[in-house]
Amino acid sequence: MNAVEIEQAITDIAEQPFDPIEFPYAFLEAFGNKETTIKRLRTGASNKSDLGGVLQTNNIHILTSEGGQVTQMLAALKTSPATGKAKAKFILATDGKYFEAEDLNSGQTVACAFKDFPDHFGFFLPLAGISTVRQISEDAFDIRATSRLNRLYVELLKDNPEWGTAERRHDMNKFMARLIFCFFAEDTEIFIGKGRFTDTIAQMSERDASNMHEVIATLFRAMNTPRDERTAVGIPRWATEFPYVNGALFSGSVEVPHFSRIARSYLLHVGNLDWTRINPDIFGSMIQAITEDEERGELGMHYTSVPNILKVLNPLFLDDLRAKLDEAGDNPRMLLNLRKRMARIRVFDPACGSGNFLVIAYKEMRAIEAEINRRRGEVDNASDIPLTNFRGIEIRDFPAEIARLALVIAEYQCDVLYRGLKLALAEFLPLRNENWITCGNALRIDWLSVCPATGTNVKWQEDDLFDTPLKQAEINFQNEGGETYICGNPPYKGSKWQSNEQKADLANAWRKHPKLAKTTDFVTGWFARFFDYADKVPEAIAAFVTTNSVCQGQQASEVWPVAFERGCELRFAHTSFKWANLAAHNAGVSVVIIGLGKKNNQPKLLYQDDLLKQCTAIGPYLVPESLAYVQKANAPIGEQSVMFFGNMPRDGGHLLMDAAVARKIIGTDTVARRFIKRFVGSEELINGKLRYCLWIEDDETNVVKDSEFIAQRLRMVAENRSNSSAESTRSFAKKPHRFVQIAGTANETAIVVPKVSSESREYLPVGLVAADTIVSDLAFALYDAPLWNLALIASRLHLVWIATVCGKLETRYRYSNTLGWNTFPLPTLTEKNKADLTRCAEDILLAREHHFPATIADLYDPEKMPGDLRIVHERNDEVLERIYIGRRFKNDTERLEKLFDLYTRMAASSVPVKGKKHKAGANK
């Protein structure tokens, strides 16, 4: 379940009559516990409570009663031996009137009326396995509001299906935007009397909702009509007390969808929430999800934490503004200059969605401005920072509308906070008509036409967010341009998952470098557009959140040489981290933050977790002081042995067999048994799965007539290959005995490396197999290689290299022989070095053998790795790293700095080695 579904479920519980027996089970079910789990608790099979309550191990201890002893019950839960023994994370006590709970890990508590406990649902989200940020746990209003609005939206579409069609979707979205504004306005004194909008609808509409649409339409008409014109146009007296809003929010059609009794109830429920608590930082992205069919099923998963957004905005420009504020102290002239500077700053998000980045930037700048005004004794001053300095491009119309609305709400909230309610109200209405969020395609629109660096005129002209054609002057900037900062979180999508339209958009963005459009992630289109923008506005700086794949593998060696050629550099960067959301399966996506600008001599800032490193350059792989990019090599640049692809059967599975079949044939077919060999790929090596294959050399095909098993299998292989759509496979139908691609076999042993493996392990999986083992195409092999090669692969140093220069499959390591192994920079090894590393490899294999039959997956689980295995790996790391620098490296950053320095020197002096093949050859 996601966060919104949970909120809906517990709200339903709070609205039902309290049942002390059923409440614990209903509560647990609301947080996603399955029916079988609830059943086991009901029967006592898994209920460990010693107080007559419900205790779920590793989760929560709940106690209910009919009398007013809630505080005492909570104390009893806390001291209960069963609570500690079961490692409960939460305790909860309620009597249906009062509600108390405690997070036993953090010590945080909740105490409220029972009917209000859904307001605190964020507190309990860890019960559903949802990783939350503190802000959502403390203020869950945005999710509650989204939940209510989603119910209303879905209910309205049931009765007005035409409003869900493409032709009317914009009308529906505009209606929802108007409602959101009214709910906010009635609770923040913008409308006279708290709750007046909701109360008026409740009073003037019939209980069966038959005239609901007419009542709301009348209110919308009133808000679009100046007060002195209302009598003439027939606005009824009960609607005349609402203010004139203007700002194009209520202009145009005031048609309202028809309401059912249920939809009326939902609207009143939404209106009864406390909308003073709206958080425009994140509210927009959640509201956006309501109206997107493909996203509604994932409601509540679109939360982007403010700290993550600040990882973009702080180094982009906010840190500098704060530093200048500190430098100014109480100097009136310096403070005034800083305020004037901020009034001219332009913040531009060319993938703005519902405006999160723009809202955060605005609020942070207002906080700095407020401190300037406080120090200058001008706290009542109106803000000099115009909303129209915060520009965006968004391809979908509703998010664009919500972005502008979120900024308007943020402005009002900042005015209330820094200047007081009276002044905020006096200047809020009527809204202005400017349209500064452009609805369009950011990879097609000239960014200069939306956010020019100088002057005030804007060339781009588009219908406004509410379908009213605008005059050019209405969308111009208020102030002459100063600094321009570009930011955002553009869509990612790898090249394989891009639609034809997206591929065309990317080709348009990379039209000066067309090859890049074919292989790079969609997000790089925003890099391309920035390079074009920076050619005209060299002072501009951009910062984008992007998948870490643009700083790994082939993309890193393609994108960044172009960036450097265009005169750009990485001004700052955040190394890989998880971009948080509220998904119950919160794997998140691994991202980096890239700060781009034209080359200058200022220090570059590299952020890694909580550490900051200043350097003179940041490279394509986010390594300090090295601009080198790694290119594929056909042979190793160092002394390591040649690594081959495994062998590819393309047989429809008919040359392969599981352990049971292999045992049977070996025991019954004397001819076939000598052709059955172990078959090892990634899964077999890592998880210990036993698989076998038929391996028949070209000069041994006469055995087919002597083994019915072999003959039958080869007939099936031939048929499968004959039916293939690939000519290269069909051509092998006449040779069904052999694999289509054969890289080689070993005379004695082979070192095997999986192509893909989990990023959670501290070391790359690698194994040693005997000569009678065939390595599959899902792994790489070093045939008959010296064992010290295994020590290299099993090292921390090599894992860090692979994680940096090779691309990833999702978040897993994707090994590459040409990009990762052949390029691995290895110092010249003495015979003693090789002997020491060989001993390390032997020790690793012996330590594994000591734990037989544990698999690599078992042994390298980071939480369960045996101590003796960890010790020999530490020894291996120490031996190898002393070869490089005479001591252990301090951290991975130092490892990468050394590796890239060595790679640069070795790559420059190496001569490509051709023709290095194993005895079997490549693609024999």
Side-chain angles (χ1 to χ4, degrees), residues 279-297:
N279 181 5
D281 305 350
I282 63 171
F283 183 73
S285 61
M286 303 192 72
I287 294 301
Q288 172 187 333
I290 290 174
T291 61
E292 302 294 333
D293 290 338
E294 68 275 13
E295 295 185 21
R296 196 176 304 123

Side-chain angles (χ1 to χ4, degrees), residues 592-782:
V592 294
I593 294 172
I594 300 298
L596 294 169
K598 288 291 189 180
K599 293 178 182 177
N600 67 17
N601 296 322
Q602 298 299 314
K604 309 302 179 280
L605 306 177
L606 183 62
Y607 297 84
Q608 187 169 21
D609 298 324
D610 295 325
L611 301 176
L612 169 61
K613 182 180 180 67
Q614 285 197 0
C615 48
T616 59
I618 299 174
Y621 306 94
L622 307 189
V623 175
E625 312 299 355
S626 174
L627 295 179
Y629 53 92
V630 177
Q631 294 183 303
K632 290 181 179 179
N634 292 325
I637 63 173
E639 294 182 68
Q640 60 264 46
S641 299
V642 178
M643 182 181 287
F644 294 91
F645 287 103
N647 303 285
M648 182 184 295
R650 287 195 200 166
D651 61 334
H654 302 305
L655 289 175
L656 308 180
M657 66 199 81
D658 60 24
V661 172
R663 281 195 299 268
K664 179 181 177 181
I665 299 304
I666 289 172
T668 59
D669 191 328
T670 57
V671 174
R673 69 176 56 158
R674 70 187 180 94
F675 299 103
I676 295 177
K677 297 182 181 293
R678 279 283 307 277
F679 185 72
V680 173
S682 295
E683 185 179 1
E684 292 79 15
L685 182 72
I686 295 171
N687 295 311
K689 183 177 179 180
L690 291 176
R691 293 182 78 196
Y692 296 82
C693 69
L694 285 172
W695 187 265
I696 304 171
E697 299 286 353
D698 289 343
D699 57 1
E700 297 175 313
T701 55
N702 61 340
V703 302
V704 173
K705 65 179 184 298
D706 299 322
S707 170
E708 177 56 31
F709 173 77
I710 293 178
Q712 180 185 16
R713 286 296 182 106
L714 298 192
R715 283 195 297 271
M716 290 189 289
V717 173
E719 182 180 358
N720 177 268
R721 289 177 178 173
S722 297
N723 294 329
S724 173
S725 60
E727 171 59 31
S728 59
T729 301
R730 291 198 301 274
S731 66
F732 275 87
K734 296 178 181 179
K735 297 180 179 181
H737 68 281
R738 59 154 289 164
F739 282 33
V740 170
Q741 291 184 6
I742 297 177
T745 56
N747 293 320
E748 296 181 2
T749 60
I751 297 170
V752 182
V753 186
K755 277 190 174 181
V756 178
S757 60
S758 170
E759 79 284 2
S760 65
R761 300 187 186 100
E762 297 177 43
Y763 299 96
L764 288 170
V766 57
L768 186 70
V769 298
D772 62 348
T773 300
I774 304 302
V775 180
S776 95
D777 59 308
L778 296 179
F780 294 99
L782 292 87

Side-chain angles (χ1 to χ4, degrees), residues 167-181:
E167 294 76 16
R168 302 224 57 187
R169 178 62 61 86
H170 182 73
D171 294 333
M172 187 65 173
N173 294 345
K174 181 163 59 175
F175 171 68
M176 296 298 292
R178 288 169 170 173
L179 283 183
I180 292 166
F181 175 83

Side-chain angles (χ1 to χ4, degrees), residues 75 100 121 137-139 176 207 257 291 320 325 360 362-363 375 504 514 532 547 625 633 648 729 755 852 857 873:
E100 293 188 21
F121 84 97
S137 296
E138 293 178 348
D139 185 1
M176 296 298 292
R207 288 185 178 274
T291 61
D320 180 62
L325 179 64
I360 296 297
Y362 177 78
K363 291 177 69 174
R375 294 183 190 182
D532 294 340
T547 44
E625 312 299 355
M648 182 184 295
T729 301
K755 277 190 174 181
F852 180 84
H873 268 286

Side-chain angles (χ1 to χ4, degrees), residues 763 795-797 870-892 894-895:
Y763 299 96
S795 69
R796 176 71 187 176
L797 205 59
R870 187 178 294 277
I871 288 171
V872 295
H873 268 286
E874 290 284 349
R875 170 66 178 161
N876 182 58
D877 286 339
E878 181 171 356
V879 169
L880 182 60
E881 292 179 10
R882 285 187 178 278
I883 293 172
Y884 278 80
I885 61 171
R887 60 170 174 81
R888 290 297 303 272
F889 287 102
K890 296 176 183 177
N891 50 44
D892 288 346
E894 190 180 31
R895 289 183 177 93

Side-chain angles (χ1 to χ4, degrees), residues 490-512:
Y492 304 140
K493 285 204 176 180
S495 58
K496 293 181 180 179
W497 293 274
Q498 293 163 16
S499 66
N500 290 335
E501 184 179 359
Q502 288 171 327
K503 288 182 182 296
D505 290 340
L506 195 58
N508 181 70
W510 281 118
R511 56 187 179 276
K512 294 182 181 178

Side-chain angles (χ1 to χ4, degrees), residues 784-848:
D784 301 311
L787 197 56
W788 56 261
N789 285 272
L790 188 147
L792 300 182
I793 298 166
S795 69
R796 176 71 187 176
L797 205 59
H798 190 57
L799 179 142
V800 169
W801 180 255
I802 292 298
T804 302
V805 305
C806 293
K808 286 189 176 182
L809 182 62
E810 296 168 342
T811 59
R812 294 170 289 166
Y813 296 127
R814 181 165 57 187
Y815 202 92
S816 167
N817 59 343
T818 56
L819 196 56
W821 176 249
N822 291 347
T823 64
F824 183 58
L826 182 66
T828 301
L829 299 178
T830 65
E831 290 305 311
K832 184 178 186 308
N833 293 154
K834 294 176 181 178
D836 290 342
L837 289 171
T838 298
R839 177 60 184 273
C840 288
E842 291 171 343
D843 289 344
I844 290 172
L845 294 174
L846 287 171
R848 291 182 189 172

